Amino acid sequence: MSVRINGAEHDQPPRPGQCLRTYLRQEGCFGVKKGCDTGDCGACTVHVDGQPVHSCLYPAFRAQGREVTTIEGLAPPDGLHPVQQRFLDAQGFQCGFCTAGMIMTTAALDEAQLADLPRALKGNLCRCTGYRAVADAVRGIRTVDEPGAGPAIGACLGAPAGPQVVTGTARYTFDVDVPGLLHLKVLRSPHAHARISAIDTAAALAVPGVRAVLTHEDAPARHFSTARHEHPTEDPADTRVLDDVVRHVGQRVAAVVAETEAAAEQGCRLLRVTYEIRPAVLDPEAAMRPGAPAVHGDKEAAGHRIARPADNVAGELHAEMGDVAAGLAEADIVYAETFRTPRVQHAALETHGAIGWLDDTGRLTLRSSTQTPFLTRRALAELFELPLDQVRVLTGRVGGGFGGKQEMLVEDLVALAVRRTGRPVKLEYTRAEQFTAATTRHPFTVELRAGARRDGTLTALSLRVVSDTGAYGNHGPAVMYHACHESIAVYRCANKKVDAYAVYTNTVPSGAFRGYGLGQVSFAVESVLDELARRLGLDPVLLRERNIVRPGEPLAVPGDHADDLSIASYGLDQCLDAVREAAAQPAGPVPEGWQVGEGMALAMIAAGPPGGHFADAAITLLPDGRYEIAVGTTEFGNGSTTVHTQLAADTLGTTPDRVVVRQSDTDVVGHDTGAFASTGVVVAGQAVLHAARSLRERLLALAGPGALGLGVDAVTLEHGQVSLKDLAASVAVPVRAEGHWSGSPRSVAFNVQWFRVAVDPGTGELRILRSVHSADAGTVLNPLQTRGQIEGGVAQALGATLAEHLDINAEGRVTTAAFRQYHLPTFADVPPTEVVFARTEDTIGPLGAKSMSESPFNPVAPALANALRDATGVRFTDLPFTRDRIWQRLQAG
């Protein structure tokens, strides 16, 4: 067989049943990505004889005698294809994992298809951008201004890896060729709760190519948490690498390591497991009742950091400030309601996975799709009782995270297999495993009572919060605590009470997700405040203005909390003014009989977790006069690499193209807590800024009067006055400086979302007529990138608000384990969002900047709920607002 790939003949025959995607990657075309293997996402799109196809569905043997073009072969020899250039110019990507497929689809569109992008791009999913940047790229426009931009700060600098992303040469986790690689596949539990009494491995071991079978008898006895935090004691230690008790459908039972994926899968099928079935509990309220099956009843509270194991309570909070009963008694109006949010999958297009090996010195090395390489290294060293310097963790470019990769879900098992076999080992989740064996957003039930006077002043807020942490407590208590903090701290109210529980059930575990619980509780708080305003006859914006926290005031919540959080700059008033102005503009035409409504909501979020979030950075002047940043933060579309480049270039008086970045490798710098909790700019960015300032001082000292024959007036780094190349050559050692930041003190960011919607009462269809998001991002270091983060956050939140829900049946099995059952927003589903920035300058963030990748998610659901209430007169309390649910509620009255 011969296939012509990007103009070159390939005569390696495909394996029986092999799809074109795996064949192309086997032949070195790593720009062809795996996102679903079911033809749903488009990340694997290539051209066959000029026609775009999803190569995961295209049999490789059918390519015989045909011309196959991948993203690597799209560009002419002397530059980029026009579509690649447009995606680069418009920054039509964030993590970039979907970009090769998006470009290949776009490059094949004719004029009629270009005129109907919602239909033309329906087969290509993007989880990051919100599609506006994609639309700009396809149409060849750029719609972001750069007011007052300097050479670096305030400029719409493109991602440093942009040229590699658009040409398919950016290397993600599995875009490497590792000789001697073994493949690991996992046998997973069919039961929600059971004890494993025996595993017969003989037949599996007899499969040709199988090199090892791993069971709980091979695993370390130590319990740990898959959650990754700077302080591991924040999370329950309730997990083993492989356990003899399974607590949810999809949990690991055993692992087979083999020369091929097919052999490993066959080995899993031949394992014979004897289970002792145990009673299961799937509902968190039922789990807390007396006599309920105990998910972790075999563990004691103190040793495993579980609040009440016998009662299935992983963590709880009970606190009051003031007197809520008295506050409700003095209120002129009291409103109470219960709100529910479902499980939501992160749906990063790159699934969880890792490749592990032993280096030439025998050191355990893992290349992982993780947001936390340093914390993962520390956890692996503790788990396998290794010195820290005997473990290295690094990442390539990561294909999306959203908090889901703030976990150790694969690295421990890969490390176990590497240590057992002595060979390189790969574990890559399938899309189905991503739904059934990774983590989800915590489902919440929030009961809220609020009291207010006639003028809208709040007198009491009382919350009862139940979050379903699933079978394991990773992130459960921390998400619960965070959910009950900024959601109510943003409002001045003398009387506040919280009773909150993170509860174990025999379901797929929950974990960190964009917003970290704030979105769930803010949905309740902002809906209730809207309802109070309507019943009092007040403008919902005015009611909030009368109650929001002001500069210099404490962020008051019940219970003990870190005291390093403050309002270091305040733009919430500007954000509210922006949506008031939007609402004052006239609405456009709507279909006859449709009901129109408007709604808004606000949110506040802390930049970083309490207790410290650390980052080290170093910057070196290279012999060729460029600067190299070394920083631990992972790049997964969060844009930290771009901002770090801008911060260094501005401080060192150079242009961004003369700054290179090494990152996401535990060999690079001393430590980095990780890229989560809104810290990529405000923590790692501060470390980079400190390193740049220190290096600047060293260089100015080296280039003092008389150095290099320069006069005193020429001693400056700006405008090329000092020849850095000559300076680097004149010193005996590389010129290097380091920076550190502890993540404390912390500031807060504000976001306000407003919608105008139309609803068809006869069908339940909801259309968003206008979407406006106002953000207090401090100094906007990169308007193009920051706007993209906001649009992506709004789009992801719209998915969770209108469509997404991971469902579990009565046996505990996930029934929405593929993209075609779990509806992600497509190009046609996401309306454009107008982004308005407040003008503030934060006194804590680097050069006045705040975080803005996580926070836009939080006010979207309540804002849409409030617009829906305004249009229909019905208060919707359960997410998502699917068309059938809206219709049913309207029919019920």
Side-chain angles (χ1 to χ4, degrees):
M1 172 176 172
S2 177
V3 180
R4 191 170 178 82
I5 303 173
N6 298 329
E9 295 292 336
H10 292 249
D11 56 9
Q12 177 68 29
R15 301 187 302 273
Q18 187 174 23
C19 71
L20 183 58
R21 180 188 67 80
T22 59
Y23 180 79
L24 290 170
R25 289 182 61 83
Q26 170 189 302
E27 297 301 295
C29 299
F30 291 125
V32 183
K33 295 293 187 276
K34 169 190 171 181
C36 65
D37 274 337
T38 52
D40 294 326
C41 75
C44 68
T45 303
V46 301
H47 295 173
V48 177
D49 290 341
Q51 295 299 310
V53 302
H54 288 182
S55 61
C56 68
L57 298 181
Y58 194 97
F61 78 87
R62 288 183 55 193
Q64 181 172 3
R66 298 179 183 273
E67 181 74 39
V68 177
T69 304
T70 73
I71 187 71
E72 292 94 340
L74 186 66
D78 58 347
L80 297 178
H81 186 280
V83 174
Q84 291 172 318
Q85 187 64 57
R86 293 201 295 268
F87 268 79
L88 189 61
D89 292 342
Q91 191 80 20
F93 56 87
Q94 286 179 25
C95 84
F97 197 79
C98 71
T99 304
M102 198 79 72
I103 288 173
M104 295 304 291
T105 297
T106 302
L109 299 180
D110 59 28
E111 290 301 320
Q113 291 169 318
L114 287 169
D116 188 4
L117 291 184
R119 180 179 294 275
L121 295 179
K122 66 180 181 180
N124 290 83
L125 295 176
C126 177
R127 190 57 158 167
C128 298
T129 65
Y131 298 104
R132 190 276 313 165
V134 172
D136 283 357
V138 173
R139 293 169 177 142
I141 60 176
R142 181 166 168 152
T143 57
V144 176
D145 296 327
E146 303 172 283
I153 299 303
C156 291
L157 178 68
Q164 291 75 44
V165 169
V166 302
T167 56
T169 56
R171 291 293 173 249
Y172 295 80
T173 306
F174 297 109
D175 297 341
V176 290
D177 186 11
V178 180
L181 185 66
L182 297 176
H183 299 268
L184 187 154
K185 289 293 182 178
V186 179
L187 177 69
R188 299 190 178 278
S189 171
H191 305 295
H193 199 188
R195 181 180 177 274
I196 299 168
S197 58
I199 302 179
D200 184 349
T201 64
L205 287 168
V207 173
V210 169
R211 296 291 173 256
V213 176
L214 305 172
T215 72
H216 60 271
E217 295 180 352
D218 303 293
R222 182 190 297 266
H223 286 86
F224 63 97
S225 172
T226 64
R228 301 271 57 83
H229 281 115
E230 180 63 40
H231 306 290
T233 54
E234 294 181 16
D235 307 296
D238 55 12
T239 305
R240 285 185 63 197
V241 176
L242 291 165
D243 205 334
D244 63 344
V245 176
V246 290
R247 296 176 173 87
H248 71 94
V249 175
Q251 182 172 327
R252 304 169 179 174
V253 172
V256 177
V257 188
E259 299 287 348
T260 66
E261 289 190 56
E265 290 171 348
Q266 176 69 358
C268 286
R269 286 191 290 269
L270 293 176
L271 289 171
R272 296 294 174 257
V273 185
T274 303
Y275 296 98
E276 298 172 4
I277 309 301
R278 294 182 171 181
V281 60
L282 307 180
D283 176 77
E285 292 287 359
M288 288 191 289
R289 293 178 190 139
V295 179
H296 288 278
D298 57 335
K299 299 178 177 67
E300 75 280 1
H304 294 275
R305 303 190 293 272
I306 300 172
R308 288 187 282 132
D311 300 319
N312 290 317
V313 177
E316 58 187 327
L317 169 65
H318 305 284
E320 183 173 8
M321 53 176 280
D323 186 336
V324 165
L328 292 172
E330 70 175 83
D332 293 310
I333 183 172
V334 174
Y335 179 71
E337 187 56 271
T338 300
F339 299 83
R340 295 177 178 85
T341 63
R343 291 176 176 83
V344 176
Q345 230 292 318
H346 305 79
L349 289 192
E350 181 191 46
T351 60
H352 282 80
I355 301 174
W357 64 90
L358 301 176
D359 70 10
D360 293 340
T361 69
R363 181 170 61 155
L364 178 64
T365 304
L366 280 95
R367 179 183 173 94
S368 170
S369 178
T370 179
Q371 296 174 226
T372 58
F374 288 80
L375 300 188
T376 299
R377 175 183 63 163
R378 185 172 67 190
L380 291 172
E382 292 175 355
L383 184 60
F384 293 102
E385 299 180 341
L386 296 171
L388 195 61
D389 63 3
Q390 288 302 300
V391 182
R392 178 189 180 195
V393 178
L394 66 152
T395 76
R397 190 174 178 89
V398 175
F402 318 115
K405 293 174 181 174
Q406 192 193 339
E407 304 271 359
M408 188 171 71
L409 298 181
V410 295
E411 296 89 350
D412 55 331
L413 194 52
V414 170
L416 180 65
V418 169
R419 286 167 57 81
R420 166 62 68 87
T421 65
R423 297 264 303 274
V425 175
K426 170 186 174 181
L427 169 57
E428 181 180 13
Y429 272 15
T430 65
R431 181 54 57 184
E433 284 179 307
Q434 200 70 22
F435 281 105
T436 61
T439 60
T440 74
R441 188 188 193 209
H442 285 77
F444 267 61
T445 300
V446 182
E447 300 173 21
L448 179 57
R449 287 177 65 86
R453 300 190 183 97
R454 296 191 188 282
D455 65 356
T457 303
L458 291 173
T459 62
L461 289 171
S462 178
L463 284 81
R464 181 181 183 271
V465 176
V466 176
S467 73
D468 186 346
T469 195
Y472 292 92
N474 46 303
H475 292 284
V479 165
M480 176 201 68
Y481 285 124
H482 188 243
C484 299
H485 192 273
E486 291 102 278
S487 57
I488 57 174
V490 70
Y491 290 110
R492 288 178 285 117
C493 181
N495 308 299
K496 298 177 182 177
K497 182 179 180 182
V498 173
D499 290 292
Y501 308 84
V503 183
Y504 286 118
T505 59
N506 292 114
T507 59
V508 61
S510 303
F513 190 104
R514 200 174 198 165
Y516 213 67
L518 279 182
Q520 293 95 310
V521 176
S522 292
F523 171 52
V525 172
E526 293 298 304
S527 294
V528 165
L529 262 66
D530 187 80
E531 197 64 37
L532 287 174
R534 296 182 188 281
R535 297 185 180 208
L536 289 168
L538 297 174
D539 175 4
V541 176
L542 177 61
L543 182 138
R544 286 169 174 81
E545 287 175 329
R546 288 181 177 172
N547 291 285
I548 52 175
V549 67
R550 297 289 181 177
E553 295 180 344
L555 300 172
V557 290
D560 297 327
H561 293 278
D563 59 3
D564 67 338
L565 185 64
S566 65
I567 302 173
S569 69
Y570 190 82
L572 182 53
D573 51 352
Q574 297 179 50
C575 293
L576 290 171
D577 286 342
V579 301
R580 179 183 279 116
E581 292 174 8
Q585 297 176 18
V590 297
E592 185 177 353
W594 288 52
Q595 300 168 332
V596 177
E598 300 172 359
M600 56 79 59
L602 62 81
M604 176 179 76
I605 192 170
H613 189 111
F614 305 107
D616 292 325
I619 304 182
T620 303
L621 174 61
L622 301 175
D624 63 1
R626 294 181 301 154
Y627 296 98
E628 180 186 77
I629 301 173
V631 64
T633 302
T634 301
E635 176 60 62
F636 52 96
N638 49 336
S640 58
T641 309
T642 314
V643 169
H644 296 166
T645 300
Q646 291 177 277
L647 291 170
D650 181 76
T651 304
L652 294 166
T654 190
T655 53
D657 62 303
R658 299 192 63 76
V659 179
V660 295
V661 182
R662 291 180 61 215
Q663 63 192 144
S664 313
D665 185 340
T666 57
D667 276 2
V668 167
V669 289
H671 182 74
D672 186 283
T673 297
F676 64 90
S678 307
T679 56
V681 170
V682 298
V683 177
Q686 280 283 31
V688 169
L689 183 61
H690 288 188
R693 286 173 173 169
S694 179
L695 181 61
R696 176 188 174 89
E697 295 304 314
R698 292 195 62 188
L699 293 175
L700 287 173
L702 288 170
L708 304 175
L710 296 171
V712 174
D713 293 340
V715 181
T716 175
L717 296 179
E718 286 85 356
H719 312 303
Q721 294 293 327
V722 172
S723 171
L724 297 177
K725 186 175 181 179
D726 291 345
L727 180 61
S730 71
V731 296
V733 295
V735 187
R736 173 185 167 98
E738 298 179 347
H740 174 79
W741 187 247
S742 66
S744 181
R746 300 176 295 148
S747 184
V748 293
F750 300 100
N751 296 77
V752 178
Q753 175 69 44
W754 175 86
F755 288 110
R756 178 177 287 136
V757 304
V759 181
D760 181 357
T763 65
E765 181 180 351
L766 182 149
R767 293 183 189 174
I768 296 174
L769 304 178
R770 193 174 176 206
S771 170
V772 177
H773 191 101
S774 185
D776 175 13
T779 300
V780 181
L781 301 179
N782 188 316
L784 183 66
Q785 178 174 284
T786 308
R787 173 175 158 177
Q789 291 288 329
I790 292 171
E791 291 169 338
V794 171
Q796 192 174 48
L798 281 173
T801 303
L802 293 173
E804 297 179 46
H805 51 99
L806 188 143
D807 295 338
I808 294 176
N809 67 14
E811 287 74 45
R813 187 178 303 276
V814 174
T815 59
T816 50
F819 282 152
R820 62 187 56 193
Q821 284 96 35
Y822 181 88
H823 181 65
L824 288 182
T826 66
F827 190 103
D829 298 319
V830 181
T833 290
E834 304 164 42
V835 177
V836 181
F837 290 115
R839 294 187 176 275
T840 64
E841 184 174 347
D842 199 73
T843 59
I844 293 176
L847 302 186
K850 295 186 182 184
S851 61
M852 199 44 61
S853 60
E854 187 176 16
S855 59
F857 189 102
N858 297 323
V860 171
L864 199 59
N866 294 338
L868 189 56
R869 163 69 168 86
D870 190 47
T872 65
V874 176
R875 172 59 61 187
F876 288 80
T877 59
D878 293 4
L879 294 177
F881 305 143
T882 58
R883 182 171 175 171
D884 57 332
R885 290 185 179 183
I886 293 175
W887 181 83
Q888 289 170 356
R889 283 294 311 277
L890 294 182
Q891 296 306 304

